[in-house]
Amino acid sequence: MASSAKQIILLVAMAASLFAVTQADTVVVGGSENWRYGYNYTEWAADNAPIYFQDTLVFKYKKSPAHSVYLLPNLYSYLTCDFSKAKLLANSSQGHGDGYAFVINQWRVFYFASAEGNDCEDGLMKLIVVPWPRY
Ligand SMILES: *[C@@H]1O[C@H](CO)[C@@H](O)[C@H](O)[C@H]1NC(C)=O
Ligand SMILES: *[C@@H]1O[C@H](CO)[C@@H](O)[C@H](O)[C@H]1NC(C)=O
């Protein structure tokens, strides 16, 4: 192969990898409201859809009052705020500073919620994320 052709292939490959890197977004959940009691994350998720596969969600919250981030197993546990089979992602001390970062790296529906106090039941601190493919 001519060396100029190799160079072109290399350039295309570099451009493609650069493109792939810049494609993934980092999204702060709740925007400037962060992760707090009383903010409507269902509405926020609708306004900020879609979240793409490989995007990073960042949950930022103060140490007090305490919040957390759990991954719930299904829609029913999400609707009823049942954390018995939930997976702890970030506890009450892991949301300050840069926050807790979670990469949307699976093709599944993600049910997130805070389990502290009445955060999930009354505080609206829950959201559903369905990853979208990038083209
Ligand atoms: C939160 O927002 C959703 C979507 O707009 C809406 O259906 C729901 O009633 C809101 N919840 C409250 C408590 O305002
Ligand atoms: C939260 O998790 C971190 C890291 O696993 C741990 O060091 C810390 O003690 C935990 N804090 C609470 C309040 O459970």
Side-chain angles (χ1 to χ4, degrees):
M1 198 189 299
S3 71
S4 62
K6 278 183 190 164
Q7 281 174 353
I8 288 170
I9 289 168
L10 189 65
L11 276 175
V12 170
M14 281 166 62
S17 65
L18 196 68
F19 189 58
V21 166
T22 53
Q23 268 188 325
D25 287 330
T26 297
V27 182
V28 177
V29 175
S32 59
E33 299 291 335
N34 294 334
W35 187 232
R36 70 158 174 87
Y37 189 95
Y39 188 68
N40 192 334
Y41 292 91
T42 304
E43 195 162 295
W44 177 86
D47 290 347
N48 290 273
I51 300 292
Y52 294 100
F53 187 69
Q54 297 296 6
D55 279 358
T56 299
L57 290 181
V58 179
F59 293 84
K60 291 186 176 184
Y61 47 95
K62 295 177 180 147
K63 282 184 180 175
S64 173
H67 302 304
S68 57
V69 185
Y70 279 80
L71 192 59
L72 293 161
N74 51 45
L75 179 62
Y76 187 72
S77 57
Y78 170 88
L79 291 173
T80 57
C81 293
D82 174 6
F83 291 88
S84 58
K85 294 196 174 71
K87 182 185 173 204
L88 175 68
L89 297 178
N91 68 27
S92 58
S93 60
Q94 289 173 296
H96 62 285
D98 292 337
Y100 168 72
F102 182 91
V103 180
I104 300 294
N105 59 1
Q106 287 174 50
W107 292 108
R108 54 162 284 180
V109 181
F110 292 89
Y111 303 96
F112 297 103
S114 172
E116 313 311 305
N118 293 325
D119 281 0
C120 181
E121 295 87 344
D122 303 326
L124 307 177
M125 295 185 73
K126 48 158 124 177
L127 83 152
I128 298 177
V129 172
V130 181
W132 278 49
R134 291 217 192 243
Y135 295 108

